[in-house]
Amino acid sequence: MFDQATAVVAGLRTLMAELEPRCLSGDDAARLLGSFAEAERLAGVGKALMARRMEETSLHRRDGHRSAAELVASATGTSVGAAGRELETARRMEKLGPAGEAWRKGKLSAGQAAEIASAATADPSAEAGLLALAATKPLAELAERCRRVRAAADEAAGHEALHRSRYLRHWRGDDGAFRMDVRTTPEAGAAIVAGLAPFTEAAFAEARAAGRRAKPEAYAADALVAMARAAAVGESGGAPAATVQVRVDAAALTRGYVQGDETCEIPGIGPVPVAAARAVLGDAVVKLVLTKGVDAVSVVHLGRTVTAHQRSALELRDPTCVVEGCSVRQHLEIDHVDGWALTKVTTLDRLARLCRWHHHLKTYEGYRLQGRPGHWRWCGPEPSEEAGPAPPGELFAS
């Protein structure tokens, strides 16, 4: 066993010494990327299993470490927190069936494994569905589904535990920067994000007018300062009231808690108890969107502008860019799928939210959306007669 592991590492070391990426075509680089990703997943499993065995044998006590996570972090050059999460995943995977097998075979990334292990431990009946989702959807979508599973498994106790563990910490970084870390409940976080939104838009507009460019997170940092200063002087600085959107099944709202596939969530934030949706958001402007399953009522009008009702329904229906594999949530743009100039009507089922990049491709580069809400297909440009037939692989993956 030791000889096999040594030989594999030696072979990989030789490969990396001889690898010349610029000599490879793009297709060859993509194939090698897949191989390296699989090797990384398998190596991660091996590392987690060995860390778990070290924990079982209490090896850390012999070497004077306070915990197995501290010993693993010291041996691998990672943080104690990261090592602790690896150990927790390994412990949970020991008790799972198909997910544990898939993990040991290198079919799950570290992020996928951690999410599935946590959710399937809370609700074992969800294991198969989560494993299938991991095979076809991006990590962000899997993580959101896992959050729902965990929330539904023990809604009240889980929410209270989150509330008890809330904190806000700040410190001075090594470079002198002010640093902050916050942990709180999803609905409280949603109120913070909603409160920041108008200040973020104002910071972006001010920078654009002055010809400055920065990353979105830089504008968010400016917004936090502006919001704090506005609170200090007791005024909003002209910013509109914060708006929090809550999606909840009508039956769950009446009953007071969710059952089965029902949902009570803040889009982009995550699941919240029905009681929290009712009680905690009193100071914000709340858009309460009542649903029945995934159904939404189509609103039609003859203008190009999207109505407020349609916008709310779109935010609910399309929380991320609708292109499969794209998990962008911020600064989404509303697209008339068929082109308003052709149809002269604006209907909910022919609107979709796209990130700026995919909206640009659809508007200027000939890419197309086909299908219907929940079943969109992202298609490449139609070939011109001069260009000949299109190569295989019509779908564009972001």
Side-chain angles (χ1 to χ4, degrees), residues 164-175:
R164 289 196 305 269
S165 66
R166 69 195 184 281
Y167 63 74
L168 186 152
R169 301 168 182 161
H170 60 86
W171 67 96
R172 185 171 182 262
D174 293 338
D175 59 354

Side-chain angles (χ1 to χ4, degrees), residues 281-338:
L281 304 177
D283 292 336
V285 176
V286 180
K287 291 182 183 177
L288 186 62
V289 183
L290 296 179
T291 64
K292 184 177 181 181
V294 296
D295 294 338
V297 178
S298 180
V299 181
V300 182
H301 72 101
L302 301 180
R304 178 184 180 90
T305 303
V306 177
T307 68
H309 290 88
Q310 289 176 326
R311 188 177 297 274
S312 292
L314 279 169
E315 291 171 358
L316 166 67
R317 193 193 72 196
D318 302 339
T320 64
C321 175
V322 301
V323 175
E324 185 175 2
C326 182
S327 57
V328 173
R329 290 180 175 274
Q330 301 296 323
H331 307 297
L332 298 181
E333 299 174 350
I334 297 176
D335 176 69
H336 287 73
V337 174
D338 304 313

Side-chain angles (χ1 to χ4, degrees), residues 128-147:
L130 295 175
L131 195 57
L133 190 66
T136 58
K137 299 298 182 181
L139 178 59
E141 188 167 336
L142 172 66
E144 183 172 345
R145 177 58 183 161
C146 287
R147 283 194 293 271

